[in-house]
Amino acid sequence: MSAPLNPPISQAIRAEARKREIAARRRSGRVALLFIAPALGLVALFLLFPVVFNLGLSFTRWQRFSGLDEFGGLMNYQRLFMVPYFSDVVINTAMWVIGAITLPLAFGLGLALLLRGVPGEGLFKSLFFLPRVLAPAAVGTIWFYVYAPDGVINSLAGAAVGQDIDYGWLFESHTITPAIIMTFVWQTLGINMVLLLLGMAAIPRDPIEAAHVDGASSWQIFRHIVWPLLLPTVFVVTILNVIAGFTAFDLIWVMANGYPAQRSLSLAVYMYYETFSNSRWAFGAAIAVMLSALVILVSWALTVMQSRVEERIR
Amino acid sequence: MRVSTLLASAAITAAGWTAASAQDVTFYYDKSGWDEGFAALIEGASEASGLDIAGQQQTPTDRYQAYIMSSIAGGATPAIFTWWNGKQLDSLVETGEIADLTALWDEAIEAGWFSEAERELFSVDGTPYAIPLNVARWPVLYNKDAFEAAGIEQPPQSWDELIAAADALKEAGYVPFNAPAVGGWMGFIWFSELMIRTDPDAFVGLTDGSVPYDGPEVQRAMEIWTDFYERGYFTDAREQDETRFMVNEEAAMYLIGEWTAGILANRGMEPGEQIGAFLLPPIDAETENSVIVEAAPIVFSADAMEEMPALMDAARYLMSPEAGNALGAANGIYSGNLMTDAPNAIVSDVNAIIAEDAPRSIVRWWEAVPPELQGDLVSQMNAFMLDPTEENAQRVMDDMQALNESYWAFQ
């Protein structure tokens, strides 16, 4: 009879070693937890708690001085659909999201392609990026006067056609939102351009040079090589633009406060308006819940699309 | 080292706490541009009461209101603060946190400082809960030179005379009325005025939900408003400088609170010399003569009043002619105290008109309407001013009524 390969004494040592390893892991886990505890605490206090509190608020009757302790059920959510101009709010928000996704991206991409390798590229990039560093409230104030009846746009248009034009871009219900979106585009296309230029810089040169050698046109190179490889960056830019579109506030507040007949309201501005101007705290909370749900839903859909596209590229 | 740092922090905190405790009362307000007047009022109230009162301005108005409402909801009602009368005061008083000032008003009326009319402006269900910071009537301010140039000898006494004056002013090259829609709130001015000039009771009914915003009373006011636009009686509502057309003498009349006289004076139009005032006449001879009154109340916490009886002395001072004169001298604001000097010729003129005609005082629409409806409805009125057509008037009335119904359905 031969001796066992693993004598009992060695098993005991191994078990002891495992115990020590587990204890060490637990210790290091506790230390790690200790390190991230302040951050976790802050997130819980300033993000998770307000989100849960806001959700709870949306089911109360709180407005002005009272109602915080009264359960209102779905009252605030129902009320939203009774507001006569709610359809305008939804349409404006949709216009903002579509406009914020497509226009800065299209113009930013166009500029990125145009400026790549052009003499003075750095100067042009700085110029186009400049509006991004201005406060939106300042931008809104400047553009309010650009769009004014006696502003720059009407003056230029008047000079071009040889007659006085005093069109009120921000005073007409069908031009107010597009006009403000164009201001947003002016301010944000610079950051879109810079992000896309960074994405382009990360594209390997080899397939492009190979395509050149094979006689591919610029459009074919863009369509079949640059664009697919740029898509991950495009998705990141798109998600940022979607969030910016849904939460657009400053420009609308400054350029269209009260004009005309709430025809410029987006969900984000409407939330502020009901909460702080009308003191309907619970109703404002319900709008915030709806807005957050929409942003999360659209961002999630885009993230899923992004990962599928990335998988296909791989 | 750590212990000493901790001790130093504790000492600094304690010093700060002690300094804060030395402050007896904070007087909150949101009126920007009245700093000099508030400084004078606070100094006088501190002296009269022996309390250490400090002023605290908070702007903009929505943030100020949010602060006050959340303080009250959290059981920390500020001791003294400015508020709004009408429905705004009603809902504030409903909290049970505001001091009843009946005794103080009895004294003030007996001393001849105020009349029952002013007391009514600051009362809820007959009990006064506030004292006046200011009282402003809404006359038509007019350019005397323009009237002279148009051959108008005296302010219009009837609706027909008003129309004749407007036509004469147009003929002389003036736009009859300055009517901006700047700031998102001015839309209610002409709407309110035309309502009280056609049916003052219906105007009051609008504010309590008993009269619809698309009923015949409002239809009539909107028809007149549309007609005035068709006749070219109003300036471009898109103008962002609210007094520009008056100051550059393109417009001849301006329906607005009498406090605007101070703004015009600062821009070179001297009240009394270049600017006069009159009340818009009723449209029908049988309609009751009335005047829109805007009143800014000061309220006191019931608990603070109980804990610090000297606060009543501060309140008494704030109602006094001395306080009224101090505010008038500092900012040209009229406190409504009958024993004060009129801060300018416009206030003096309006006082004389009211003494002679004794019109019915009607609380301004902004204060009279439920606060939750203010923004929505005035925005519709602004929208009409930007597109003053019959078609848009109907849409505005329909939308206002839909908003009105939606509000009352949830009350």
Side-chain angles (χ1 to χ4, degrees), chain B residues 143-156:
Chain B
N143 181 332
K144 291 187 171 180
D145 296 337
F147 268 44
E148 197 179 322
I152 306 165
E153 287 172 5
Q154 59 166 14

Side-chain angles (χ1 to χ4, degrees), chain B residues 103 173 177 190 244 284 307 409:
Chain B
F177 293 102
W190 272 92
R244 180 184 149 201
D284 307 310
E307 284 164 19

